[in-house]
Amino acid sequence: MSQVTPGPQQQEMPFAYVQGAPVTELPKDLYIPPEALEIFLEAFEGPLDLLLYLIKRQNLDILEIPIAEITEQYVKYVELMQDFQFELAAEYLVMAAMLAEIKSRMLLPRPELLDDEEADPRAELIRRLQEYERFKKAAMDIDELPRMGRDTFPVYLEPNYSSPEQEADISMKELMLALQGVMQRAAMFTRHNIERETLSVRERMSMVLEKINNEGFTRFTALFEYKEGKGGVVVTFLAILELSKQQLLEIVQSETYGVIHVKPLSGGTLDND
Amino acid sequence: MTKESNPSEKSDQTAITLDELTPEKIKYSVEAIIFAANKAISLEKIAALFSKQELSDKNCLHHAIEELMQDYQQRGVELVEVNSGFRFQAAQNTAPRVARLWDEKPQKYSRALLETLALIAYRQPITRGEIEEIRGVSVSSQIMRTLVEREWVRIIGHRDVPGKPAMYATTRQFLDYFGLKKLDELPSLDEIRDLDVINAELDFGDMLKTEETGKHSKDKQPD
Amino acid sequence: MTKESNPSEKSDQTAITLDELTPEKIKYSVEAIIFAANKAISLEKIAALFSKQELSDKNCLHHAIEELMQDYQQRGVELVEVNSGFRFQAAQNTAPRVARLWDEKPQKYSRALLETLALIAYRQPITRGEIEEIRGVSVSSQIMRTLVEREWVRIIGHRDVPGKPAMYATTRQFLDYFGLKKLDELPSLDEIRDLDVINAELDFGDMLKTEETGKHSKDKQPD
């Protein structure tokens, strides 16, 4: 839509180009502060919702949609969206086409022989608008139902205080099946992101993090357990590097060849829960 | 559950005298059971905790629950019935204060989610495609997932059309969550006004006139 | 809440009349709070849910609790004071029956919980937001709470990003529970992908052996 015509107007930047013509001002009847436009458009749940808004704004009944007027306003919004380079959902464009079609059919002389159902080109649109409006309202009704955790708070006795709490068992298999499920959904299987080696690094990351969180400044060397041998040192080193990369700790050396310290970057807070 | 094995005796007789369960005792047992149940509990599950003899009077549980509902009518908690049974909950006038016990703000749900939920509730079983048709926009997978995850909605089968789309319906948990006994306790849907009537009343001459006066007739053709 | 600005007056007085918290209302609020707290709750914590003005009478909470104790003296549940505060519990004569309810098999953990736990195990340290991102749905606080309460998971720090989200990791108890010495004894992702094998015959000893032979060390970078 918007062709960037090299506009000579210095005094005022055109606000938008509608069909090539520069627009310095939004039409009065649909003025929205530009910065609010995005939020405004996000407030609509699609073309039917936008149409309902346009109709309701003029205190009109759905049954009496002035197609020409509404179509024009609708199309203006769609153009606005484009000018602001919103990713314009196909649904909005489909609706624009549908409106245009209804409009053109209404401008034609009505064939007299058609039965009533087909006589009014708006019938299908009206049906859809009404249907949508019902559920829009139903959604609001549901939102107002007393909801657990917001309006209703079920109360129970503290379970089984006399004997240790009954806790469900999990088998490793269940855990693995769960992981499989979530991985498949997240399509993480496409690459072998996590492997045995990295798991031990991850475990070590937790340990290092806990240690430095407890102690604040920690000597770099204190993080290594030499009795673990070369393998252990490497794992710890990788863990420190990974933590550093994730900005969870900082490696500090105050002077050249000085002692290297490691300190937590997460604000030093550690929940001991 | 804890069946006494006393097969030779006329157990009926002895059981009753042994247990000496007066209606009042039944009531207080039911009270404790519902409080302890950890979620809404059905009459059947409550009954299962009594022996047959103890419940010789079929209606005693009903009576107990009725009385309990009355006992708690004016208190800080109330006894309510939802789809999967009975539960105690904070009474209306104490609920806002109880809410302060948890610092978390209750989750808000988007209109898209609520509309989708409404369509499933009122139109079940319904496919995602059918929901999209009515809403006029596509429904994100995220929304369907959240609804299933929350256990408000589940797949109850697949429609026998190409692609075999899943059909969704609401669950028992959905009803419990919104404090409903049955689906028909949902607020009623607005009527759809009859199109025949509309058509009869429509007057195209007028319509076109209003359009004319609307002065939008320079008519840039909307593509 | 609905404070009228009337600064010259003795505000205490007005506050009380405005709020209109009668001793009875306080009592019922306390009743609901103790019931809803889900575990014993201290007087201080109860008091924290009221405003200063509402509790102008220092003793009103004590009175409320005393009265509640009396109210429930003969019922199915009773109000008792324990070390950490007050709680309702099944009364002595109903407790055995209620115990049968608790004898039942504990509920199974939800799929959501299992997935969350698995992600924490394989992706630690990980924030709730990151879990949500992978799973595509929000993770309820309830789930995190359960995992922490079971001591399978704990918070080991906070990520240094806006909001300082907590980072979760698995615990020693988690390893113990699943009979692992170290985290890297968990099955590798490849094995998880081939869960058919697991389904056929679940034997983790074997599994670990296969892992040794599996040896896939292409790219180790997590993130």
Side-chain angles (χ1 to χ4, degrees):
Chain A
M1 283 290 118
S2 60
Q3 286 115 20
V4 185
T5 45
Q9 318 106 297
Q10 285 293 73
Q11 64 283 61
E12 203 170 5
M13 282 288 289
F15 172 72
Y17 292 92
V18 179
Q19 291 169 354
V23 177
T24 48
E25 230 176 89
L26 277 176
K28 286 250 161 32
D29 60 337
L30 45 77
Y31 177 74
I32 322 144
E35 63 276 13
L37 185 62
E38 186 161 8
I39 299 162
F40 180 81
L41 290 171
E42 271 169 13
F44 290 109
E45 291 296 333
L48 288 170
D49 202 21
L50 176 54
L51 271 183
L52 271 184
Y53 166 81
L54 294 174
I55 292 163
K56 289 283 145 77
R57 199 183 49 169
Q58 298 176 31
N59 282 320
L60 292 172
D61 193 284
I62 295 181
L63 304 184
E64 295 151 17
I65 318 172
I67 279 292
E69 217 168 302
I70 291 296
T71 302
E72 199 150 316
Q73 293 188 4
Y74 182 90
V75 168
K76 272 180 191 156
Y77 274 97
V78 168
E79 282 170 354
L80 263 182
M81 292 186 215
Q82 284 184 329
D83 289 339
F84 278 85
Q85 292 172 350
F86 293 123
E87 269 185 46
L88 193 50
E91 294 104 350
Y92 282 92
L93 292 174
V94 169
M95 178 59 75
M98 183 179 166
L99 285 170
E101 196 227 335
I102 296 172
K103 192 172 128 186
S104 57
R105 274 168 59 196
M106 289 188 66
L107 290 173
L108 294 174
R110 266 204 304 161
E112 309 229 326
L113 290 176
L114 285 180
D115 58 83
D116 281 357
E117 273 293 306
E118 282 178 53
D120 185 351
R122 301 171 309 163
E124 170 63 10
L125 178 64
I126 289 173
R127 189 196 63 75
R128 287 187 65 190
L129 279 169
Q130 278 200 316
E131 183 83 333
Y132 174 68
E133 194 185 28
R134 304 166 89 188
F135 287 102
K136 190 182 162 178
K137 176 155 179 307
M140 277 154 38
D141 290 343
I142 284 184
D143 199 27
E144 269 162 31
L145 287 175
R147 189 189 302 167
M148 231 195 250
R150 187 189 69 183
D151 315 291
T152 57
F153 299 90
V155 298
Y156 307 105
L157 298 184
E158 186 180 350
N160 224 9
Y161 36 82
S162 50
S163 65
E165 202 170 317
Q166 302 267 347
E167 283 165 335
D169 284 319
I170 299 181
S171 70
M172 180 62 85
K173 179 180 167 187
E174 281 177 285
L175 194 62
M176 293 307 111
L177 283 169
L179 186 66
Q180 187 191 39
V182 68
M183 298 293 206
Q184 271 167 355
R185 289 208 314 268
M188 285 169 67
F189 273 135
T190 49
R191 295 199 321 146
H192 308 297
N193 281 333
I194 308 166
E195 303 199 0
R196 259 186 95 224
E197 292 81 358
T198 58
L199 253 192
S200 57
V201 172
R202 293 221 156 243
E203 182 176 43
R204 192 58 57 100
M205 281 163 68
S206 295
M207 288 164 60
V208 169
L209 206 55
E210 192 182 19
K211 191 164 183 180
I212 63 171
N213 268 324
N214 276 331
E215 295 174 10
F217 261 85
T218 314
R219 285 170 83 102
F220 183 72
T221 48
L223 295 172
F224 295 91
E225 289 271 357
Y226 294 104
K227 60 174 180 280
E228 285 180 346
K230 209 191 279 176
V233 171
V234 168
V235 167
T236 303
F237 188 62
L238 286 176
I240 293 172
L241 289 183
E242 181 62 27
L243 285 167
S244 165
K245 183 175 141 207
Q246 290 191 24
Q247 308 221 321
L248 291 170
L249 59 73
E250 191 178 14
I251 303 166
V252 197
Q253 189 180 30
S254 44
E255 60 197 64
T256 330
Y257 302 119
V259 180
I260 299 173
H261 280 97
V262 172
K263 74 171 179 135
L265 266 183
S266 44
T269 44
L270 175 71
D271 277 338
N272 280 321
D273 297 333
Chain B
M1 306 185 168
T2 51
K3 274 253 173 70
E4 263 124 77
S5 47
N6 207 352
S8 59
E9 303 289 322
K10 280 161 204 152
S11 54
D12 283 46
Q13 199 80 45
T14 40
I16 291 165
T17 42
L18 278 174
D19 284 298
E20 278 190 294
L21 256 194
T22 61
E24 198 176 43
K25 281 190 180 166
I26 291 186
K27 176 172 112 176
Y28 292 139
S29 295
V30 171
E31 181 183 33
I33 290 166
I34 298 175
F35 267 124
N38 223 0
K39 56 178 178 179
I41 184 169
S42 66
L43 212 56
E44 292 74 50
K45 282 194 181 147
I46 297 173
L49 299 176
F50 292 84
S51 70
K52 276 229 175 66
Q53 294 90 336
E54 287 172 330
L55 297 185
S56 55
D57 174 4
K58 292 280 173 213
N59 287 318
C60 60
L61 288 187
H62 277 114
H63 285 313
I65 284 173
E66 258 166 47
E67 274 195 43
L68 284 169
M69 281 184 163
Q70 248 159 20
D71 290 358
Y72 281 94
Q73 214 153 41
Q74 297 296 328
R75 301 195 63 96
V77 294
E78 59 185 1
L79 176 56
V80 296
E81 182 175 5
V82 293
N83 184 260
S84 34
F86 298 89
R87 74 176 180 219
F88 281 100
Q89 61 186 34
Q92 236 178 356
N93 51 341
T94 62
R97 200 178 296 273
V98 166
R100 296 191 204 163
L101 264 177
W102 301 278
D103 16 281
E104 271 178 66
K105 284 245 155 54
Q107 199 171 344
K108 280 212 154 197
Y109 292 101
S110 66
R111 260 183 58 203
L113 182 137
L114 289 167
E115 287 180 10
T116 305
L117 179 60
L119 276 163
I120 296 172
Y122 286 91
R123 279 291 171 88
Q124 55 190 296
I126 188 171
T127 67
R128 188 158 146 187
E130 288 158 358
I131 296 169
E132 292 175 337
E133 209 175 293
I134 297 176
R135 293 194 58 233
V137 281
S138 57
V139 173
S140 78
S141 308
Q142 165 69 31
I143 283 178
M144 300 312 294
R145 216 181 292 152
T146 303
L147 289 174
V148 170
E149 174 87 8
R150 296 243 53 185
E151 296 191 319
W152 287 346
V153 151
R154 73 204 153 93
I155 293 171
I156 53 156
H158 293 83
R159 211 177 274 296
D160 199 16
V161 294
K164 303 261 174 215
M167 289 184 296
Y168 293 87
T170 54
T171 61
R172 180 167 276 251
Q173 286 89 327
F174 164 77
L175 294 174
D176 288 354
Y177 200 89
F178 289 96
L180 303 170
K181 275 198 286 271
K182 291 178 182 173
L183 215 51
D184 58 15
E185 282 185 1
L186 278 172
S188 57
L189 271 183
D190 274 359
E191 298 274 310
I192 279 219
R193 283 158 291 169
D194 197 349
L195 273 179
D196 293 342
V197 180
I198 301 163
N199 282 326
E201 284 172 9
L202 280 174
D203 184 335
F204 284 99
D206 277 4
M207 285 250 351
L208 289 170
K209 245 174 272 155
T210 26
E211 257 171 38
E212 231 53 84
T213 41
K215 285 276 184 251
H216 297 285
S217 30
K218 25 211 130 150
D219 245 347
K220 23 203 115 167
Q221 211 44 257
D223 40 343
Chain C
M1 281 128 224
T2 51
K3 264 227 182 100
E4 260 124 76
S5 48
N6 207 355
S8 58
E9 302 291 322
K10 283 157 203 154
S11 57
D12 283 46
Q13 200 82 46
T14 38
I16 292 164
T17 42
L18 279 175
D19 284 299
E20 280 193 293
L21 253 194
T22 61
E24 199 178 41
K25 281 190 180 166
I26 292 188
K27 177 173 113 177
Y28 291 140
S29 295
V30 171
E31 182 183 31
I33 290 166
I34 299 177
F35 266 124
N38 232 350
K39 54 182 178 182
I41 183 170
S42 67
L43 209 57
E44 293 74 47
K45 280 193 183 150
I46 297 173
L49 301 176
F50 294 83
S51 71
K52 277 231 175 67
Q53 293 93 332
E54 287 173 331
L55 298 184
S56 56
D57 173 7
K58 292 277 173 218
N59 287 317
C60 61
L61 287 188
H62 279 113
H63 286 311
I65 285 175
E66 257 167 47
E67 273 195 46
L68 286 170
M69 281 183 164
Q70 246 159 23
D71 290 356
Y72 281 94
Q73 213 154 40
Q74 298 297 326
R75 301 194 65 95
V77 293
E78 56 187 7
L79 177 55
V80 295
E81 182 171 9
V82 294
N83 186 263
S84 44
F86 298 89
R87 74 164 179 230
F88 281 99
Q89 61 183 29
Q92 243 181 345
N93 53 340
T94 62
R97 200 178 299 272
V98 167
R100 293 190 203 167
L101 193 65
W102 284 331
D103 277 345
E104 282 176 29
K105 274 260 156 62
Q107 276 185 42
K108 287 222 140 207
Y109 286 126
S110 66
R111 190 180 170 80
L113 181 138
L114 291 171
E115 289 183 3
T116 304
L117 179 59
L119 281 171
I120 294 173
Y122 279 86
R123 280 288 171 105
Q124 58 188 288
I126 187 170
T127 67
R128 188 161 142 187
E130 289 158 357
I131 297 169
E132 291 174 341
E133 206 171 297
I134 299 176
R135 294 194 53 233
V137 279
S138 62
V139 173
S140 76
S141 311
Q142 178 57 42
I143 284 177
M144 300 313 295
R145 214 178 298 144
T146 304
L147 289 174
V148 170
E149 267 166 25
R150 267 222 84 163
E151 297 189 314
W152 282 339
V153 152
R154 74 209 149 96
I155 293 170
I156 55 156
H158 292 83
R159 212 177 271 294
D160 198 20
V161 294
K164 305 262 176 212
M167 289 183 297
Y168 293 88
T170 52
T171 59
R172 174 160 295 275
Q173 286 89 335
F174 168 82
L175 295 178
D176 290 348
Y177 185 90
F178 289 103
L180 306 169
K181 276 198 291 289
K182 293 170 165 186
L183 212 53
D184 57 13
E185 284 181 5
L186 277 173
S188 73
L189 280 195
D190 276 357
E191 285 161 300
I192 294 165
R193 186 166 46 173
D194 304 333
L195 261 192
D196 300 341
V197 185
I198 301 179
N199 281 327
E201 179 67 50
L202 191 71
D203 184 342
F204 279 103
D206 281 0
M207 290 227 3
L208 289 172
K209 250 173 266 152
T210 27
E211 193 175 76
E212 294 302 319
T213 42
K215 283 285 182 241
H216 27 254
S217 36
K218 292 128 226 179
D219 56 345
K220 47 202 71 176
Q221 218 38 269
D223 74 315

